[in-house]
Amino acid sequence: MSEKKNVPKLRFPGFTEPWEQRKFNEAFIERRERTEQENEDTLLSCAISGMFLNSELFGHFRGTTTIGYLRVKKNDLILSAQNLHLGNANVNLRFEHGIISPAYKVYDLNNCNPEFIQAWVKKDDTKNFFLAATTEGASQCRKNIEWESLGKQTISMPSMDEQKHIGVFFRQLDNLITLHQRKLEHIKDLKKCMLQKMFPKSGQLYPEIRFPEFTDAWEQRKLGDLVDRVTRKNQDLVSELPLTISAQYGLIDQNEFFDKRVASKDVSGYYLIENGEFAYNKSTSTDAPWGAIKRLDRYENGVLSTLYIVFGIKENNPVDSGFLVSYYSTNLWHKGIHEIAAEGARNHGLLNIAPADFFETELMIPQDIEEQKKIGKYFEELERLITLHQRELDHLKLLKKGMLQQLFI
């Protein structure tokens, strides 16, 4: 009765038999072939994200000798001796052969489909399978495998034919994920490149690339000539949505970004920011060494700590809002912030910048607002494509995670 229950929730048509219980040391046979000479073969590394050339991960060999390294062939299972609980396990589907540090374990697959096993080792609960055979290592982040215990643990496995079907499915899904990842990275690289080329470099009046109908020199303007500071308080509690600025996501709900509320319970003394207005977060980070300036796009309004500098475009519309969004996505404005930041500027990562000085910073803009609008729309479209591909990629990753739960026991 219990054997009949040994089936996954979802199966390919034609497969009805219960999966077989196999011991780890029956499904995988350890190979201990070691090198006898220096640099016998290509040096490989096994990482959480896959198999790599050692040079791809580290740039150079970090050891002293490759004599005694383990020989690896295609479709071998590679296990990290200490980091299996972090997911550091892979089937070598990429390289025909190579060598790897003896800090790993290398296994032949005994009547197992390599793509099926690769999918299995990437299941979330496979970490628990390995954790069941671990003891604490020298530090909390390292755990040692009890290989004798691991060898006795059992794995549920279907027929070879069903393994092949499952393996092909996840290979195709992984290929699709890789394709979308590459598309996403390509558009991000394009945006990064165009942000450098469609704005004049420091000290210049013309960008390297521009729309053909525009030929006039750009002009230097003070920020305070283009925008007005916003200091309206949230006295009537128009909004109780506390916002923060993320260099990646822009102005975003604190609860969503931090998974908790950081703002005070009483937000009546906070600034009330409206959709389309901008805010400068003076907090620095690796991604935003001089803080971040973002426009409120996600919500109709929200509240911000008075540590932020909030501003909106002047009513006579001397600058296009989309252009400002793209301009503050470059690093051209960093020089101006650097010049006004007071000595000893970083107090717990917060720049010491007076609002009056901030609005004295200068930026280069096209004289023709139509050119500003075209630049703004161009980068808005790139950002839309980035968001679209990111959502598709996230969807595929969730699909893979769900199918790993459904197609395995």
Side-chain angles (χ1 to χ4, degrees), residues 220-287:
Q220 195 170 50
R221 299 288 298 274
K222 285 184 180 180
L223 179 61
D225 293 338
L226 309 174
V227 303
D228 290 318
R229 186 182 180 192
V230 173
T231 56
R232 79 173 74 86
K233 294 292 184 68
N234 188 40
Q235 292 175 345
D236 298 327
L237 295 179
V238 174
S239 174
E240 294 195 46
L241 178 67
L243 301 175
T244 191
I245 288 185
S246 157
Q248 182 177 358
Y249 301 108
L251 276 155
I252 187 170
D253 180 358
Q254 282 186 7
N255 296 292
E256 184 179 345
F257 187 70
F258 296 117
D259 201 25
K260 64 178 180 179
R261 181 188 175 100
V262 180
S264 305
K265 288 184 178 180
D266 180 7
V267 292
S268 60
Y270 280 46
Y271 288 143
L272 175 66
I273 181 172
E274 301 285 355
N275 185 275
E277 294 176 339
F278 292 77
Y280 174 38
N281 181 0
K282 296 181 283 184
S283 295
T284 63
S285 65
T286 303
D287 293 334

Side-chain angles (χ1 to χ4, degrees), residues 227-230 277-278 293 309-312 324 328 358-359:
V227 303
D228 290 318
R229 186 182 180 192
V230 173
E277 294 176 339
F278 292 77
I293 299 172
I309 298 175
V310 183
F311 59 92
L324 267 193
Y328 284 116
F358 174 72
F359 290 108

Side-chain angles (χ1 to χ4, degrees), residues 353-365:
I353 294 172
D357 293 334
F358 174 72
F359 290 108
E360 287 292 310
T361 58
E362 296 180 329
L363 60 159
M364 294 292 294
I365 67 171

Side-chain angles (χ1 to χ4, degrees), residues 124-325:
D124 285 344
D125 57 5
T126 299
K127 295 176 187 178
N128 296 329
F129 175 88
F130 291 126
L131 274 172
T134 61
T135 58
E136 293 296 331
S139 65
Q140 287 186 347
C141 64
R142 291 181 177 270
K143 294 181 182 291
N144 295 320
I145 291 286
E146 292 288 342
W147 297 105
E148 187 175 344
S149 299
L150 181 65
K152 294 176 183 177
Q153 291 182 183
T154 57
I155 308 170
S156 294
M157 303 185 73
S159 67
M160 180 60 82
D161 195 23
E162 189 171 1
Q163 288 183 40
K164 288 178 181 177
H165 275 72
I166 295 171
V168 167
F169 173 81
F170 283 105
R171 184 209 332 139
Q172 293 173 339
L173 191 53
D174 281 338
N175 288 342
L176 198 56
I177 288 171
T178 300
L179 178 64
H180 279 279
Q181 185 72 58
R182 286 174 180 166
K183 285 181 178 179
L184 178 62
E185 293 306 318
H186 171 74
I187 299 171
K188 284 182 175 180
D189 287 344
L190 175 62
K191 180 184 176 184
K192 184 178 180 180
C193 175
M194 297 307 281
L195 282 170
Q196 293 174 343
K197 294 181 180 294
M198 290 185 73
F199 292 83
K201 291 181 172 60
S202 180
Q204 297 184 7
L205 299 177
Y206 300 91
E208 186 176 337
I209 294 176
R210 71 194 303 192
F211 294 101
E213 63 267 39
F214 303 107
T215 57
D216 290 340
W218 287 30
E219 60 180 348
Q220 195 170 50
R221 299 288 298 274
K222 285 184 180 180
L223 179 61
D225 293 338
L226 309 174
V227 303
D228 290 318
R229 186 182 180 192
V230 173
T231 56
R232 79 173 74 86
K233 294 292 184 68
N234 188 40
Q235 292 175 345
D236 298 327
L237 295 179
V238 174
S239 174
E240 294 195 46
L241 178 67
L243 301 175
T244 191
I245 288 185
S246 157
Q248 182 177 358
Y249 301 108
L251 276 155
I252 187 170
D253 180 358
Q254 282 186 7
N255 296 292
E256 184 179 345
F257 187 70
F258 296 117
D259 201 25
K260 64 178 180 179
R261 181 188 175 100
V262 180
S264 305
K265 288 184 178 180
D266 180 7
V267 292
S268 60
Y270 280 46
Y271 288 143
L272 175 66
I273 181 172
E274 301 285 355
N275 185 275
E277 294 176 339
F278 292 77
Y280 174 38
N281 181 0
K282 296 181 283 184
S283 295
T284 63
S285 65
T286 303
D287 293 334
W290 295 100
I293 299 172
K294 300 292 179 180
R295 184 178 66 188
L296 180 59
D297 294 325
R298 289 173 176 241
Y299 321 101
E300 283 303 309
N301 50 43
V303 296
L304 283 168
S305 162
T306 52
L307 291 173
Y308 289 78
I309 298 175
V310 183
F311 59 92
I313 294 172
K314 287 182 180 292
E315 286 187 11
N316 59 359
N317 199 28
V319 64
D320 177 67
S321 180
F323 174 83
L324 267 193
V325 170

Side-chain angles (χ1 to χ4, degrees), residues 335-398:
K335 182 174 181 290
I337 297 297
H338 173 71
E339 290 172 351
I340 63 171
E343 288 297 326
R346 299 168 194 265
N347 181 17
H348 300 292
L350 189 66
L351 295 170
N352 184 12
I353 294 172
D357 293 334
F358 174 72
F359 290 108
E360 287 292 310
T361 58
E362 296 180 329
L363 60 159
M364 294 292 294
I365 67 171
Q367 297 181 51
D368 191 334
I369 198 166
E370 291 304 315
E371 184 175 8
Q372 296 178 30
K373 289 178 179 178
K374 280 206 166 189
I375 293 170
K377 286 180 180 177
Y378 175 78
F379 285 105
E380 186 179 303
E381 178 61 17
L382 280 185
E383 194 59 40
R384 188 191 68 79
L385 286 173
I386 289 170
T387 301
L388 177 65
H389 282 290
Q390 186 65 63
R391 284 174 181 166
E392 290 177 347
L393 183 61
D394 292 344
H395 172 74
L396 287 170
K397 288 180 177 179
L398 281 173

